[in-house]
Amino acid sequence: MKATFMYGAGDVRVETIPDPRLIEPTDAVIRTVRSCVCGSDLHPYHSKEASEQGSPMGHEVMGVVEEVGAAVTSLRPGDLVISSFTYQDNTCEFCREGFHVSCLHGGFFGGQGIGLQAEFVRVPLADGTLVAVRAADGSAVDETGNGSEDLLASLLSLSDVYLTGYHAATMGQVGPGQTVTVIGDGAVGLSAVLASRQLGADRIILMGRHASRTDLGREFGATDVVAERGDEGIALVRDLTGGHGSHVVLEAVGHHPAYEQAVGVVRAGGTISRVGVPQYREAPIGGSLFVNNITLTGGTAPVRRYLESATAQVVAGEINPGRVFDVAMPLTQAPAAYAAMDAREALKVMLVP
């Protein structure tokens, strides 16, 4: 099969490797229908040290079940399924508490030998990791999305990007009557805008400077756009909020300046929820955060926690988060997909086997 590997900064290759097989009785093997490149994949694309052994890439996928292990009970061959970007048993104490990324028996895709930018994937702990896509009447949705490419795109977004944005809003306790500022106009930031609208925020300020992206943000529910950064951007958000700042700030970038911007625009008693993968080791948590009773929350999204309810929303047509995919490429062109996203020529690239 074809699969994507990264050998160093800017060095992405698609190679032919053996097809995966069942190893544990709790495994499933799926045939990929759609996968994609994530903004977080660009971090190693910029910084990974060169190696003779490539790292398997990709942590977002939907596919069709080809084979299941003897212990798998909730899936059958032919099911169209979505995977979260982690694998988990969905039964340990952390999973039961809704924090599946900390599963006692789980792990992360894109490492440990399992990359999802591939034609086939072995999925550990399949019962706890994969969710079958069903219509409201319980009937199966096929691998064409019942003929809808838009449906496939939105289902794929649930593997990570939309539900990471939703997690940011959930951890920030976004709700009616609030002003929310979203920092970052990438796919996660735009997803956070859509999720904030779903949760009833009254006003949503999107901080981003790429018009094609912020235009989509407005369609997702942003009421205001602030293109400026740093002190100027902070001043503009403060001005929009009567000098008080935002009840909730959703930081979807992961770089230190974005964190500083979040601290600058949050109001007294407010919340900063971070889901951008931090590319810094230290950041201030004292000073104004302590004095003004600011809550700092967020973290790696436990996608499995939200996956079933979000799948039902997408199938019912209540949300269409797949609009963040603006380019589709064959899997064999994965190196070009990385380059396009790195050059900001694409917001988020879908890979088609």
Side-chain angles (χ1 to χ4, degrees):
M1 70 170 185
K2 300 293 185 183
T4 305
F5 293 85
M6 185 179 292
Y7 283 82
D11 186 2
V12 176
R13 310 176 196 176
V14 177
E15 301 184 338
T16 300
I17 63 172
D19 291 353
R21 59 183 180 83
L22 298 175
I23 297 176
E24 302 293 338
T26 51
D27 289 348
V29 172
I30 66 172
R31 172 175 52 82
T32 298
V33 172
R34 297 288 187 274
S35 61
C36 55
V37 180
C38 182
S40 64
D41 292 332
L42 297 181
H43 295 317
Y45 188 77
H46 294 152
S47 62
K48 180 177 171 59
E49 293 186 7
S51 171
E52 293 183 359
Q53 182 172 352
S55 298
M57 296 302 295
H59 54 263
E60 300 159 276
V61 75
M62 63 183 303
V64 173
V65 175
E66 294 281 296
E67 187 178 6
V68 297
V72 175
T73 61
S74 64
L75 305 165
R76 59 182 183 271
D79 281 344
L80 179 67
V81 292
I82 307 169
S83 173
S84 54
F85 65 82
T86 58
Y87 55 90
Q88 55 272 307
D89 57 24
N90 204 28
T91 59
C92 83
E93 60 181 292
F94 293 121
C95 288
R96 292 196 304 271
E97 292 170 3
F99 294 98
H100 299 71
V101 295
S102 300
C103 178
L104 294 170
H105 310 108
F108 285 75
F109 289 112
Q112 303 182 37
I114 305 176
L116 304 188
Q117 292 167 5
E119 291 181 311
F120 294 89
V121 177
R122 179 181 72 87
V123 179
L125 302 174
D127 277 329
T129 301
L130 299 173
V131 170
V133 181
R134 306 286 184 199
D137 62 3
S139 61
V141 174
D142 67 26
E143 65 182 274
T144 72
N146 291 346
S148 172
E149 188 64 36
D150 288 345
L151 178 59
L152 289 182
S154 285
L155 291 170
L156 177 61
S157 76
L158 305 184
S159 188
D160 178 357
V161 60
Y162 173 66
L163 291 179
T164 291
Y166 186 84
H167 181 62
T170 298
M171 293 296 283
Q173 298 186 0
V174 170
Q178 292 182 330
T179 294
V180 176
T181 293
V182 176
I183 299 176
D185 58 9
V188 171
L190 297 178
S191 295
V193 169
L194 178 59
S196 296
R197 176 57 66 208
Q198 288 292 308
L199 292 172
D202 279 8
R203 190 174 193 181
I204 304 169
I205 302 168
L206 174 59
M207 300 192 78
R209 59 178 183 169
H210 303 90
S212 62
R213 299 180 178 195
T214 57
D215 286 349
L216 179 56
R218 288 187 184 277
E219 293 181 40
F220 274 178
T223 55
D224 305 89
V225 171
V226 172
E228 291 76 7
R229 295 181 175 183
D231 290 342
E232 186 179 2
I234 290 169
L236 287 169
V237 173
R238 288 277 173 181
D239 185 59
L240 286 169
T241 56
H244 296 153
S246 293
H247 297 94
V248 184
V249 182
L250 309 181
E251 193 274 283
V253 178
H255 291 293
H256 196 270
Y259 176 80
E260 292 179 327
Q261 217 162 263
V263 172
V265 302
V266 68
R267 69 185 278 142
T271 299
I272 298 171
S273 181
R274 303 178 305 154
V275 293
V277 180
Q279 300 304 297
Y280 50 88
R281 290 182 176 273
E282 297 180 354
I285 59 171
S288 65
L289 269 69
F290 181 79
V291 170
N292 291 307
N293 293 281
I294 306 303
T295 298
L296 183 62
T297 187
T300 307
V303 164
R304 185 62 181 82
R305 170 178 170 181
Y306 311 114
L307 192 50
E308 285 162 326
S309 59
T311 298
Q313 281 188 293
V314 166
V315 172
E318 296 173 11
I319 53 174
N320 186 13
R323 295 180 65 193
V324 296
F325 292 104
D326 56 343
V327 176
M329 293 184 179
L331 174 64
T332 53
Q333 293 181 18
Y338 277 77
M341 286 182 59
D342 185 49
R344 296 189 182 275
E345 295 169 356
L347 170 58
K348 190 168 178 67
V349 179
M350 179 184 296
L351 298 174
V352 183

